[in-house]
Amino acid sequence: MDRRTGRNEELAQFLRAMRARLRPGDVGLPQQGRRRTPGLRRQEVAQLAAVSVEWYVRLEQGRASVPGTAVLDALARALRLSPAEHRHLHLVARGETPVSRPVDLPVSGSLRALMEGMPLLPAYLVDLRFDVLAHNSAAAALFGEDFGSGDTGNVARILFLSPRMRQMQLDWAQVARETVGNLRATLARHPDDPRLLEVVGELRSASPEFAIWWDDHTIRQRAHGTKRISHPSAGELAVNYDTLATLDGAGQCLIVVTPADPAAERCLRALMADRAGSLGGPGLHALPARAGHPGEAGGGQPGPRRRPGRR
């Protein structure tokens, strides 16, 4: 069985299973007599999706041509598919998933607990625009007490516009080009996102390097890597960074910094000890509401913050 035949059969089985779980009343159709088999009839699905009965029958038999995205969307609505099932339908039919509109969600309690539970590892949560949603005490110790607040509330912005961050990031060009590539790839998926357009527009105007790399269509997304940081009190240290994405449609990513060698681990421990002594112990910083990002506090990003921090 070749790949196309296997995909057709997988699609046919999925459609039959989704059709079998529905009753006419679930989709607003009248119940007409007793049915020998459960679920909707094929002609009812075709009617709801506005496609021909003959074509839909061939689709469930694995004999139809590859459906277009609009037709798959119509079938998803007809079969009352969940967002996850909708993506699966596109994947088995076309080998690709549709781009969904990001949903702005508050920082979950479990993510807060995860960051609080890593007292020696700097961690911060960003959305797809690189706006900082929350961070832990270790991130404040490493990046500065004002990380994530005011002018430092967006990682891409402070990376390009903060002289202090440029000095701190010894591999600045590498990290900066990756950031440009990430923003460009994200904008291709979400070309109408107002906040994303605002961030890109500001950086194109304010940073010559950003403008050059943006115009050469740099795409350099990385989920992990190693970089060198020069800290004002701890000196130079090598760290790893890993980006962990949530799967709830919000486009949130947890970025965790880990020591790349024993010397960096000692530096991080010393920074946390110094900060705990001066501020009364570790904790999580949940950032205040930002316009356009609904959350728990006043319709914005979740929760009151205790003390700000910086990347």
Side-chain angles (χ1 to χ4, degrees), residues 152-181:
T152 67
N154 182 277
V155 173
R157 190 179 187 281
I158 61 175
L159 183 62
F160 280 93
L161 303 184
S162 167
R164 187 169 79 90
M165 181 58 64
R166 189 176 290 235
Q167 294 175 355
M168 186 178 186
Q169 295 282 353
L170 298 180
D171 301 304
W172 181 86
Q174 168 202 323
V175 177
R177 285 183 71 93
E178 289 174 8
T179 301
V180 175

Side-chain angles (χ1 to χ4, degrees), residues 26-75:
D26 297 332
V27 295
L29 295 176
Q31 179 75 44
Q32 296 178 341
R34 298 184 61 183
R35 300 189 176 213
R36 290 179 293 179
T37 57
L40 297 180
R41 297 188 176 102
R42 287 170 173 170
Q43 58 266 35
E44 290 170 334
V45 175
Q47 173 188 340
L48 291 168
V51 298
S52 73
V53 177
E54 294 77 9
W55 180 84
Y56 183 76
V57 169
R58 293 199 305 273
L59 192 63
E60 279 204 7
Q61 293 173 343
R63 298 187 297 109
S65 58
V66 178
T69 57
V71 172
L72 291 174
D73 291 341
L75 288 172

Side-chain angles (χ1 to χ4, degrees), residues 1 19 105 179 206 233:
M1 180 184 298
R19 178 169 60 84
L105 298 175
T179 301
S233 61

Side-chain angles (χ1 to χ4, degrees), residues 80-148:
R80 303 300 193 265
L81 301 188
S82 69
E85 291 164 344
H86 188 177
R87 291 192 296 271
H88 183 75
L89 175 65
H90 279 259
L91 186 61
V92 297
R94 301 181 59 84
E96 59 189 25
T97 57
V99 177
S100 57
R101 190 176 186 86
V103 180
D104 290 314
L105 298 175
V107 180
S108 69
S110 57
L111 279 175
R112 293 168 184 262
L114 180 61
M115 284 186 278
E116 284 183 331
M118 299 188 292
L120 296 178
L121 299 180
Y124 54 97
L125 188 72
V126 299
D127 62 15
L128 60 89
R129 304 105 180 162
F130 280 121
D131 285 332
V132 181
L133 306 180
H135 65 279
N136 65 6
S137 185
L142 180 61
F143 298 127
E145 291 300 319
D146 57 345
F147 175 56

